[in-house]
Amino acid sequence: MSGVMTFRDQLLEELELAVRTSAALITRISPEQWDYRPADNMRTLLELVHHLVSIPASDLAIMQEKTQEEVQNVEGQISGLSEPEQLAQLFRQNYETLHAYITSLSEEELLHKSTKAFYLEHGMVQSKWLIEIVTHSFHHRSQLYNYLKQMGHDLNFFMLYG
């Protein structure tokens, strides 16, 4: 296996870690906590979880050059869900779909196939999109962890790496 594909697999492993540990955090949430909002200008806990769970699916749609309406439809599919286990499972499924797409790309496609999001003026190569998805997921996992800590959940730093 080439170094490029090894690096791709390492990025996917990191994304899987973000999904696995986020899913474990999501399953700790009680339904009565969904309306928690740390500040008026921030998302509710449910909005944050919906966004986080949607990242692999919505970012995949974006990197496949779907229209804004198509991406909004992908994101809207989660809107009625509030069962923590169901959300955690959907997150894993969204990851698996993204994983299948990324691993279907050749090294040449991963490094040189450029696609343009509906909101950008320029395209990005698929490897850059993968990095973007990993960092996006970890950013919101961190927010989720902080929300839960602020709500009094018994969490520790090591839960993010197990």
Side-chain angles (χ1 to χ4, degrees):
M1 179 183 299
S2 76
V4 170
M5 297 314 233
T6 299
F7 189 64
R8 174 207 66 192
D9 290 348
Q10 291 168 345
L11 285 170
L12 287 170
E13 287 173 15
E14 283 299 298
L15 183 55
E16 194 277 330
L17 173 67
V19 170
R20 183 171 23 92
T21 56
S22 296
L25 292 172
I26 291 167
T27 60
R28 293 172 163 268
I29 299 169
S30 302
E32 65 274 3
Q33 296 176 318
W34 285 130
D35 290 331
Y36 175 75
R37 182 187 311 263
D40 290 340
N41 64 344
M42 296 177 74
R43 292 177 166 130
T44 66
L45 179 59
L46 183 60
E47 290 167 342
L48 173 62
V49 169
H50 279 176
H51 181 69
L52 177 59
V53 168
S54 294
I55 289 172
S58 61
D59 284 7
L60 176 59
I62 291 167
M63 72 189 284
Q64 291 179 325
E65 300 184 304
K66 303 294 184 192
T67 66
Q68 182 175 3
E69 182 180 349
E70 290 171 311
V71 172
Q72 287 171 335
N73 287 339
V74 168
E75 292 171 347
Q77 292 173 353
I78 197 172
S79 65
L81 301 180
S82 62
E83 171 57 43
E85 286 291 340
Q86 189 178 20
L87 288 162
Q89 181 58 34
L90 180 58
F91 199 13
R92 289 186 284 269
Q93 289 170 357
N94 288 343
Y95 165 77
E96 290 300 328
T97 301
L98 175 68
H99 183 278
Y101 171 76
I102 293 294
T103 56
S104 76
L105 298 172
S106 68
E107 183 174 320
E108 178 69 21
E109 290 169 319
L110 189 64
L111 292 175
H112 302 291
K113 179 181 178 181
S114 181
T115 55
K116 187 174 98 49
F118 63 85
Y119 55 84
L120 290 176
E121 294 295 317
H122 62 283
M124 289 193 309
V125 295
Q126 304 303 280
S127 57
K128 173 72 170 136
W129 279 117
L130 178 56
I131 294 166
E132 188 76 19
I133 293 166
V134 171
T135 58
H136 191 190
S137 298
F138 274 105
H139 166 72
H140 290 298
R141 183 194 71 169
S142 177
Q143 284 184 316
L144 175 59
Y145 181 85
N146 287 334
Y147 273 41
L148 296 180
K149 284 289 270 189
Q150 290 171 354
M151 295 171 68
H153 283 262
D154 184 24
L155 305 176
N156 64 64
F157 178 77
F158 301 107
M159 300 170 82
L160 301 177
Y161 298 96

